[in-house]
Amino acid sequence: METISENRSFGGVQGVYRHASNTCGCDMTFAVYMPPQAEDGPVPVLWYLSGLTCTHENAMAKAGMQEHAAEHGIALVFPDTSPRGDNVANDEAYDLGQGAGFYVNATRAPWKTHFRMYDYVVNELRDIVVKQFDVQDRHGITGHSMGGHGALTIAMRNPDLFESVSAFAPIANPTQSDWGRKQLSAYLGDDESAWADHDATLLLEDKGWKGDILVDQGQADQFLDLLKPDALAEMMARRRQPGTFRMQKGYDHSYFFVNSFAGDHVAWHAERLQ
């Protein structure tokens, strides 16, 4: 693992690292924030999965989570959103290929060689974080947009690995959205039964979640028709899933929205992780 940079932040250290990924077959970059409490012993971990077009850097620089993580003594992990490199398949569209991994394991060419972001987050990067950083093996997960989709689906499929889950404006019902049908068919094929494991609304109906869920959605989000928050909110009510779904008046899809409620989410995870 190569250290790209480390900077002091709110008494802790914000680092950026690179490693050769066996899962994705290319070099992968990720960021980790270690709070000051880590100097006295292992701390729990909150994963943040980013959205379309993002890298590890977007949330690291814009979400404003480090101050809250330092207050509560939680490490933050910011993975990239896809494999990258000259030999990695790509597409001219912003919502497919590099920057748009959708947190699935692709099974179709040309994507299947490198696009294995589900296994990368759940297995490879998790092992690296636990072994290389002074953290407890207690994890929460959150994310924004495509990353909110990833956080919800990964948590519901792995309740033994995550203690808490939340999301900011997640792609909530991708099997019924152009932000989902396009990518899932490209990565997984046309058999829609294979898509269900990557749809938070369908997973909630099938599996539920062992604890409560926190979701924040901007009421003025310009992508509401693609995100389909109503489907997830209705399924939470129908399944009587413990949780809180907040429609935030006037907020859009930007990092100003994420930054505004980042403190709530970090505190919420801290209560469940500690």
Side-chain angles (χ1 to χ4, degrees), residues 151-164:
L152 291 168
T153 56
I154 285 173
M156 281 188 274
R157 291 179 63 185
N158 298 277
D160 55 327
L161 299 182
F162 294 93
E163 300 300 323
S164 56

Side-chain angles (χ1 to χ4, degrees), residues 137-204:
D137 197 8
R138 288 183 60 78
H139 304 254
I141 190 166
T142 188
H144 174 229
S145 195
M146 179 184 73
H149 137 80
L152 291 168
T153 56
I154 285 173
M156 281 188 274
R157 291 179 63 185
N158 298 277
D160 55 327
L161 299 182
F162 294 93
E163 300 300 323
S164 56
V165 62
S166 72
F168 300 84
I171 302 174
N173 194 195
T175 62
Q176 304 303 314
S177 169
D178 288 343
W179 271 0
R181 295 188 64 83
K182 172 183 178 179
Q183 294 83 0
L184 295 174
S185 62
Y187 296 144
L188 303 178
D190 296 328
D191 180 3
E192 296 189 18
S193 64
W195 302 358
D197 278 347
H198 303 285
D199 186 305
T201 299
L202 298 181
L203 278 172
L204 186 61

Side-chain angles (χ1 to χ4, degrees), residues 52 81-83 97-105 115 117 146 187:
L52 288 168
T81 57
S82 78
Q98 296 185 35
F102 252 75
Y103 304 101
V104 305
N105 290 334
F115 281 71
M117 289 302 294
M146 179 184 73
Y187 296 144

Side-chain angles (χ1 to χ4, degrees), residues 63-265:
M65 300 183 77
Q66 291 88 343
E67 180 177 8
H68 309 297
E71 177 185 353
H72 294 284
I74 290 183
L76 302 171
V77 179
F78 304 99
D80 203 345
T81 57
S82 78
R84 298 180 190 273
D86 293 339
N87 297 322
V88 176
N90 202 9
D91 191 272
E92 292 182 358
Y94 77 95
D95 57 354
L96 188 68
Q98 296 185 35
F102 252 75
Y103 304 101
V104 305
N105 290 334
T107 57
R108 291 186 73 182
W111 313 106
K112 63 181 181 180
T113 303
H114 299 285
F115 281 71
R116 303 189 60 80
M117 289 302 294
Y118 177 87
D119 278 353
Y120 177 70
V121 170
V122 172
N123 298 315
E124 185 177 27
L125 186 55
R126 180 190 177 98
D127 287 347
I128 289 172
V129 168
V130 170
K131 291 176 181 177
Q132 298 291 333
F133 297 88
D134 199 9
V135 298
Q136 301 171 12
D137 197 8
R138 288 183 60 78
H139 304 254
I141 190 166
T142 188
H144 174 229
S145 195
M146 179 184 73
H149 137 80
L152 291 168
T153 56
I154 285 173
M156 281 188 274
R157 291 179 63 185
N158 298 277
D160 55 327
L161 299 182
F162 294 93
E163 300 300 323
S164 56
V165 62
S166 72
F168 300 84
I171 302 174
N173 194 195
T175 62
Q176 304 303 314
S177 169
D178 288 343
W179 271 0
R181 295 188 64 83
K182 172 183 178 179
Q183 294 83 0
L184 295 174
S185 62
Y187 296 144
L188 303 178
D190 296 328
D191 180 3
E192 296 189 18
S193 64
W195 302 358
D197 278 347
H198 303 285
D199 186 305
T201 299
L202 298 181
L203 278 172
L204 186 61
E205 180 179 29
D206 181 43
K207 299 179 181 296
W209 171 247
K210 63 182 181 180
D212 51 348
I213 298 171
L214 173 62
V215 178
D216 273 309
Q217 171 64 61
Q219 170 264 335
D221 194 313
Q222 58 270 47
F223 302 115
L224 282 176
D225 290 344
L226 293 166
L227 299 171
K228 298 194 176 297
D230 294 353
L232 181 62
E234 289 167 6
M235 186 57 68
M236 288 176 67
R238 188 190 315 168
R239 207 183 190 282
R240 299 180 182 177
Q241 171 66 46
T244 302
F245 193 108
R246 306 192 300 190
M247 186 66 73
Q248 301 290 2
K249 183 178 180 180
Y251 284 89
D252 60 15
H253 198 69
S254 70
Y255 266 97
F256 294 107
F257 158 66
V258 175
N259 191 294
S260 297
F261 301 101
D264 290 354
H265 282 247

